[in-house]
Amino acid sequence: MNKLHTEVFGITLKNPITVGSGTYGFGENYKEFYSPTELGAITVKGMTMLPREGNSGTRGAETPGGMLNCVGLQNPGIDVFIKDYLPKLKNEGNIVFANIAGKDIEEFVEMAIKLENSQVDLIELNLSCPNVKEGGIAFGTSGEMVGLITRKVKEVTGKPVVVKLTPNVTDIVSIAVAAEQNGADGLTLINTLLGMAIDVDTGNPILGNVFGGLSGPAIKPVALKMVYQVYKHVKIPIIGMGGIVNERDALEFFMAGASMIGVGTGNFIDPMCPLKIKEGLERYLDIKGIGKITEIVGLAHRGGLTDGK
Amino acid sequence: MELKGLVKSNEFLTSQRDVFQLRIELNREFEFKPGQFINVYCPNKVLPRPISIADKEGNIITLLVRIVGEGTDFLSKTKIGDRVKVIGPLGKGFNTSHGMDKKVAIIGGGIGVAPLLGLRKANFKDAKYYLGFNSEGILVEEFKKVYPTTITYLTEDTTVLEAFEESLKTEVYNFVYACGPEGMLKKLQDILQKNKIPGELSVEKKMACGVGGCLICTCETTKGKKRVCKEGPVFDSQEVLFSE
């Protein structure tokens, strides 16, 4: 029996593990390490309507327990994805979550229409990229805007729509609730936290964009807290991510209320990270005598494991 | 490929103790092209460190490393018998077939000599090395003890290119392999273009994943942004657009 079997967003998954958008390209980079079909789903690089070169200058910096990036949504554009990458991914048997970032509401809608007629399994709305000037994080900080985009996209697609939220807000719960009330099928929590680093030898900011998105183990407690907090106020499933690098991290997110988890920076630290997490989760469930991974979702809200487990 | 490594030797090559030669025995045989690199893991650092493979004998790889931060400082302190985790080989190495049956120049500056050292085993018809070290950096005599004597050593970065350009008055090179600081590579690019000599350059960028996933290490090229870890670090000599 596959203890990791998960049904979520109306999709059957062999396990509840995906990857953070922008950490996995279009599934081509980690093939020499393992088959991407081993993952429950692949979340592809955030796509824009037109191709983007991304930002110039230094795009990354290591920080204590994490890293900063300001890649800026470099991608070949949605049409190239649909034509060149998606058919291959589907033929190989992958479940594909498509992350899209529009510069305005119309673009989100237009991209959703393009994806509606494709083999994509789920649409993730990127309302939280900190590294682009138009749209991005600006959308994600307003509950009203998040709600409006979600509703407009839902009007044009029958595919499940998940909204990826930014942690760079005062009250993430109200924004999550706005997404749910406007028809979101799920939430992805969280995107990166805004941060910066300075090179003390030159006195200049390290990143070409000055500010970047902080990810990795350093942000895990923040992400976990937000998943826990939001879980109490919404009924839709949550994809939890933010600093997950091993199965214990993943377990915390499930227990906080995530139905799926995403590995982001963990892929950069160790290309095998998602597979090691999968094996670790199976081991954990066996040791604890738990029949299904779904049994531990939200466990931290229900008084934890019962006796004997 | 994830590999387990065992430190076989670790020696400083400079009196300032800022450049060291680390030899690691890996638990598996693997194919390696000069110019490729490995990701080496350092405790307490989030990301692995990408380091060029300078040489390989059986399962033992040689790394020539300059200390630039905490990760490389950690590696400089590893002792014989210490275990290190490694992923690799990664990236695209030099295409030695470009230089077969030809006369090649191999040009390196500073720690940029490291990825070029493996080329000495390639079967070129004739090869001349122009390797330059900042006199404060790698001690030439120490370096000579470790690496073969067929190499032309120069002690100032700038004179490497001057010497190479001077040699073009009397010698004909069919292909050039190079690695070094960005400013040096940009100047070399101009020299090669002026003299219509094809070549390959290995470039360096800050990396995160090393396997093509993160898009941190992109560089500008004539064909748009490319990933140094995946499409590089070795590029056609005229392909990379340097900003300096």
Side-chain angles (χ1 to χ4, degrees), chain B residues 191-208:
Chain B
I191 295 169
L192 296 182
Q193 193 175 36
K194 202 170 80 184
N195 291 278
K196 297 189 168 53
I197 305 170
E200 287 185 333
L201 312 176
S202 177
V203 303
E204 192 186 31
K205 279 275 177 186
K206 267 189 196 297
M207 290 183 188

Side-chain angles (χ1 to χ4, degrees), chain B:
Chain B
M1 184 172 16
E2 187 174 313
L3 300 159
K4 287 176 184 155
L6 206 60
V7 174
K8 297 297 283 183
S9 69
N10 194 358
E11 294 167 308
F12 280 105
L13 297 183
T14 58
S15 56
Q16 296 97 325
R17 300 171 74 81
D18 61 345
V19 175
F20 59 97
Q21 189 210 51
L22 179 65
R23 291 169 67 245
I24 300 172
E25 184 174 15
L26 300 173
N27 64 331
R28 277 161 72 178
E29 179 61 73
F30 68 93
E31 295 292 318
F32 146 76
K33 275 186 180 177
Q36 286 190 297
F37 66 94
I38 52 167
N39 265 355
V40 188
Y41 287 82
C42 308
N44 303 322
K45 300 310 292 178
V46 177
L47 299 170
R49 267 42 186 174
I51 297 174
S52 292
I53 304 170
D55 202 1
K56 174 180 169 288
E57 294 279 353
N59 282 10
I60 299 176
I61 55 169
T62 301
L63 311 175
L64 189 65
V65 191
R66 185 161 62 92
I67 299 174
V68 290
E70 290 173 47
T72 43
D73 184 52
F74 162 80
L75 288 176
S76 76
K77 289 171 181 153
T78 55
K79 294 184 175 60
I80 295 170
D82 281 355
R83 292 179 190 281
V84 285
K85 187 179 129 182
V86 162
I87 285 180
L90 302 169
K92 201 182 82 178
F94 291 105
N95 185 346
T96 51
S97 67
H98 286 315
M100 290 300 164
D101 306 320
K102 288 175 185 155
K103 184 169 176 179
V104 306
I106 296 168
I107 303 171
I111 202 65
V113 303
L116 300 169
L117 293 169
L119 288 172
R120 72 184 190 280
K121 292 178 181 169
N123 193 22
F124 301 131
K125 184 177 159 197
D126 191 6
K128 189 161 182 184
Y129 288 78
Y130 297 86
L131 303 182
F133 310 115
N134 185 323
S135 53
E136 301 289 314
I138 299 170
L139 287 186
V140 174
E141 290 310 312
E142 289 300 312
F143 191 74
K144 266 185 176 173
K145 281 181 205 164
V146 181
Y147 291 99
T149 53
T150 53
I151 295 172
T152 303
Y153 297 97
L154 300 161
T155 53
E156 294 290 336
D157 272 353
T158 49
T159 64
V160 177
L161 293 186
E162 284 165 12
F164 172 64
E165 207 168 9
E166 184 65 25
S167 76
L168 293 177
K169 290 176 184 167
T170 52
E171 299 190 64
V172 175
Y173 290 106
N174 309 112
F175 204 84
V176 168
Y177 297 99
C179 183
E182 207 169 295
M184 174 190 146
L185 293 183
K186 184 171 168 51
K187 281 181 202 159
L188 177 63
Q189 214 175 34
D190 296 341
I191 295 169
L192 296 182
Q193 193 175 36
K194 202 170 80 184
N195 291 278
K196 297 189 168 53
I197 305 170
E200 287 185 333
L201 312 176
S202 177
V203 303
E204 192 186 31
K205 279 275 177 186
K206 267 189 196 297
M207 290 183 188
C209 70
V211 301
C214 67
L215 306 182
I216 295 290
C217 67
T218 53
C219 66
E220 306 287 343
T221 76
T222 51
K223 296 163 193 158
K225 284 194 167 72
K226 286 197 176 179
R227 296 167 294 185
V228 171
C229 73
K230 195 75 179 176
E231 282 89 32
V234 173
F235 292 93
D236 177 89
S237 63
Q238 298 302 325
E239 195 178 349
V240 179
L241 301 170
F242 295 108
S243 54
E244 277 180 36

Side-chain angles (χ1 to χ4, degrees), chain A residues 167 172-173 188-191 193 216-232 238-262 296 298-301:
Chain A
I172 196 161
V173 171
T188 300
L189 304 171
I190 58 173
N191 207 320
L193 284 152
I219 72 164
K220 196 191 83 180
V222 178
L224 193 66
K225 175 240 178 198
M226 289 185 163
V227 169
Y228 184 91
Q229 214 179 355
V230 168
Y231 178 79
K232 282 201 270 200
I238 296 167
I239 305 173
M241 60 180 72
I244 298 175
V245 299
N246 57 42
E247 73 271 17
R248 298 191 74 82
D249 296 333
L251 286 163
E252 286 189 73
F253 276 82
F254 288 120
M255 290 171 179
S259 294
M260 283 188 80
I261 59 104
I296 65 164
L299 195 66
H301 299 267

Side-chain angles (χ1 to χ4, degrees), chain A residues 19-33:
Chain A
V19 288
S21 168
T23 66
Y24 210 73
F26 296 103
E28 72 281 30
N29 299 306
Y30 295 91
K31 272 188 182 163
E32 58 190 283
F33 297 96

